[in-house]
Amino acid sequence: SQQGEEDPQALSIQEGENATMNCSYKTSINNLQWYRQNSGRGLVHLILIRSNEREKHSGRLRVTLDTSKKSSSLLITASRAADTASYFCATANQGGKLIFGQGTELSVKP
Amino acid sequence: DTEVTQTPKHLVMGMTNKKSLKCEQHMGHRAMYWYKQKAKKPPELMFVYSYEKLSINESVPSRFSPECPNSSLLNLHLHALQPEDSALYLCASSQGGRGRTGANVLTFGAGSRLTVL
């Protein structure tokens, strides 16, 4: 079964607002990654957080990881219409598999 | 070159056809992956090649046959597919094989959209 579960499944916000997506997983991990996918296209890696890290920033992105709760969140600040996409968390285990969560469909309205 | 190139972009085939999807990267990555993605679903792992050897097969039906001719190329041979195999097939690569923390950040191609009639 898929490792990560995400919520919300869909999120609609206005430009300039912040967007928060959450991801939960089931087993131990080496790292957790977030990817973005524009409709019908390939995925693009956004950010990686290791299992011994709690928070990481990259531009307008902020990722947190709570290994005790097996959960992560992705915050996009000051959203733009161009941020409209699907966002997936993915967990990597020792075996080298990268397994994706169900994804959050983000719509940012101008 | 930081791209993964997939061809063809679109493929329509009948259930008796034999076709292939191709994937190429020139980033020196030693791991390559095939994922299958249905509409509004996450990518599902199919195969992983590490150093040109098949390291993971996620119990994929034998009508899908992967091939890694060299470290830059990955093929997916298709034969006797079913309509439910219609999906977006994504190729990806990463720096190293399994067991290397942080080495499995994936670079994806744009995908091949397959329709089986």
Side-chain angles (χ1 to χ4, degrees):
Chain A
S1 64
Q2 292 295 328
Q3 174 79 301
E5 300 296 328
E6 293 179 62
D7 81 273
Q9 288 188 331
L11 180 60
S12 183
I13 59 174
Q14 294 294 129
E15 222 170 14
E17 295 180 338
N18 295 342
T20 300
M21 290 159 260
N22 303 297
C23 168
S24 62
Y25 57 92
K26 296 176 184 173
T27 61
S28 63
I29 60 171
N30 278 348
N31 64 63
L32 186 143
Q33 303 174 37
W34 287 88
Y35 287 78
R36 164 199 168 121
Q37 184 178 34
N38 287 77
S39 180
R41 303 285 295 170
L43 286 79
V44 175
H45 178 257
L46 295 176
I47 195 165
L48 177 153
I49 186 165
R50 292 188 164 79
S51 58
N52 60 354
E53 296 175 314
R54 293 296 165 257
E55 189 170 314
K56 205 158 181 184
H57 296 255
S58 176
R60 293 184 296 113
L61 305 181
R62 174 178 168 251
V63 170
T64 61
L65 179 65
D66 186 336
T67 51
S68 67
K69 294 181 180 176
K70 291 188 166 59
S71 68
S72 173
S73 68
L74 171 68
L75 168 68
I76 303 174
T77 60
S79 62
R80 305 165 182 167
D83 294 328
T84 295
S86 293
Y87 292 82
F88 295 93
C89 69
T91 50
N93 63 14
Q94 282 280 357
K97 287 187 189 182
L98 194 65
I99 304 296
F100 288 86
Q102 295 299 307
T104 294
E105 206 169 311
L106 174 65
S107 174
V108 182
K109 300 189 188 314
Chain B
D1 189 349
T2 56
E3 281 190 349
V4 174
T5 304
Q6 288 188 245
T7 54
K9 286 186 169 33
H10 299 275
L11 178 63
V12 179
M13 61 186 290
M15 289 191 285
T16 58
N17 291 159
K18 281 186 184 181
K19 297 285 186 184
S20 297
L21 305 180
K22 297 186 183 301
C23 175
E24 190 169 0
Q25 58 89 13
H26 295 288
M27 294 178 282
H29 287 177
R30 301 314 301 266
M32 296 187 77
Y33 309 74
W34 282 114
Y35 281 83
K36 172 183 175 178
Q37 187 179 27
K38 301 282 256 184
K40 297 195 180 297
K41 294 290 186 184
E44 294 179 13
L45 183 63
M46 299 175 72
F47 302 105
V48 180
Y49 273 83
S50 178
Y51 292 84
E52 299 161 50
K53 289 190 180 351
L54 183 64
S55 61
I56 296 175
N57 176 344
E58 290 286 277
S59 303
V60 178
S62 60
R63 57 186 185 268
F64 295 93
S65 174
E67 179 197 17
C68 189
N70 60 54
S71 60
S72 300
L73 294 174
L74 185 66
N75 299 322
L76 186 63
H77 302 298
L78 314 170
H79 175 51
L81 294 194
Q82 304 296 312
E84 58 265 30
D85 295 321
S86 298
L88 183 67
Y89 288 84
L90 294 162
C91 174
S93 67
S94 68
Q95 276 187 334
R98 52 183 153 164
R100 291 180 55 194
T101 302
N104 55 352
V105 170
L106 301 191
T107 301
F108 280 87
S112 292
R113 184 161 299 282
L114 173 67
T115 303
V116 182
L117 301 176

